[in-house]
Amino acid sequence: MFYKRSTKQTETEAPAAKSNLKRQNITLVLLGVAIIVFANIIASFVFTRFDLTSEKRYTLSDATKKMLSGVNDYIFFRIYLEGEFPAGFKRLRNETREMLDEFKAYNKYIEYEFSDPNESPNDEDRKLVYQQLVEKGLMPTNLQVNDKEGSSQQIIFPGALVTYHGQEMPVQLLSDQFGNAPEEALNNSIQNLEYNLANTIRKLTATHKPKVAFIYGHGELGPDETYDIRLALTEYYQVERIKIDGQISALTEHGTSDSNRVSIYNKYKAIVIASPDSVFTDRDKFIIDQYIMRGGRVLWLVDGVNASIDSLMHKNPTMGLANEINLEDQLFKYGARVNFNLLLDASCLPIMLVTGRVGDKPKFSYMPWMFFPLASPASKHPMVNNLNPLKTQFTSSVDTIAVTGIKKTILLSTSQYSRAVKSPVIIDLNMAKEKPDPELLNQSYLPVAVLLEGKFESLFKHRMPPEIANDKSIGFMEQGRYSQMIVVADGDVIRNQLHRTKGYPLPLGFDQDTRQTFGNKEFVLNAMNYLIDETQLISIRSRELKIRLLDRKRVEDEKLKWQLMNIVLPIALILVFGFVKIYLRKRRFAK
């Protein structure tokens, strides 16, 4: 039996249902508002950010966060990456903006503004702006831009000027790299964005500069030959030149602890021993050894063979002899050995030679000189990651020795096609004119620089007389505290060239023959920052962002197919969906 509901009952229930639905909607809206307000209240007390990228592209390192937490006044970035330029530079601009936004999220004192140095329509005004930016330390990049009217040259400044407490400092955002495609160079520049920006803030806000000493007295490089790197290091450290000369207190000083006990402290955070050519006395070695035992850091740049291009130009051929300066046993004890050999490498720097005559004038040509290898990064260590090759001269190889508790990391090496020749070595300029025999270059990736880390044992353990070992004023230590050192088998890595006619120092890494700048300065700065920097900002350089480039050939071959898929396919899907929906509606209501 079926019962039919009365019309009156149905009409009574309809307003009630509508009222219930209205109350439910109002409740949901109020609940949504309450959740949003509650979430915002929590967010005002608890700061967090979510990075969903696979390589954590937008996550700042702990070192950067810690450094930013100490900034208590405004830092202003003026970035000169505004205007019309290729897509790659737009990507660099966008990534820079996003990185500064990340900085700003952790510190409200970070401010920035993008500026276009080409915004003035007047040529003279633009040239004046260019000149001012160059004087402030920003380097321009010349781009060739293709448009409907043809191609034109455009000058851009891919960098920024950073201001803090009246100080202004330039930072280059684009790093040129040998042998890399423009896309890879831009990607590597983006990888280094966090480090470059954070490092600039660190330099501007540093209130205390640790001390660094360049040792002299054993034939080390002179002030003019290390001028540029010492100038660059003054942005981070107090740089001095020290002659040990057998003085026990040359590298250390006495102090009084809280318990009124006399203690011995290192004066310097790190020392640099750059290309010595004279014998070290046992007393000087002892002073350096005890400096290391107390946690001192050392950058050794020691030649395995005595040879120089200047002597070769005056006397050709010449003989390269072992550079025996009485450091062999000390480095061996710590875990490294600079070999008495010279490296030849197919990847090398050219030199200018007389190759003939034109009339009564000599004809000069550039010839590859295998005794000047280009040392390249041998690992992804932050000290050398994405680093340009280094210019070396008459370099040797360095071996690692098995020492308990010491970690070794190879930093630099030769190319795949190289060779080591034991001293004594005959060096003849005519060798540059000969085509190298590939069969002789049968050694690959010979180590040139190594990092040693750990607790080093004293060279003088069991060798000191009791009266010296027990003398509290000397404070002899057999076992050292944790320390680090870098051994480079070429002193010329840190040597800047002098202008041939005027004699003033040139930038470290710049070669006045080829007019190229190599990675020497960046390597030494990274090395010193790694050895000394307690903030460990240098660790950011190990970060790697994956470059996702399109296959250019495939794009060209399948261009029409992908255009049709992106334009026609979405429209076709919408039409199909519409027809299906209309059909279903007609079928439903037809019943």
Side-chain angles (χ1 to χ4, degrees), residues 282-322:
D282 284 344
R283 191 177 179 90
D284 282 1
K285 289 168 62 177
F286 174 79
I287 293 167
I288 295 172
D289 176 86
Q290 290 301 292
Y291 166 80
I292 295 170
M293 296 303 108
R294 290 183 171 83
R297 315 298 167 93
V298 186
L299 176 58
W300 305 86
L301 299 114
V302 180
D303 296 295
V305 172
N306 269 322
S308 71
I309 192 65
D310 293 333
S311 61
L312 186 61
M313 291 297 181
H314 288 92
K315 183 184 178 182
N316 183 49
T318 189
M319 186 74 71
L321 302 175

Side-chain angles (χ1 to χ4, degrees), residues 34 78 85 90 131 224 247 269 317 359 375 424 427 470 517 519 554:
R78 183 174 294 278
F85 33 73
K90 289 181 181 179
Q131 182 180 350
D224 288 344
Q247 303 174 65
K269 281 285 188 179
I427 307 171
N470 300 325
T517 300
R554 189 177 175 187

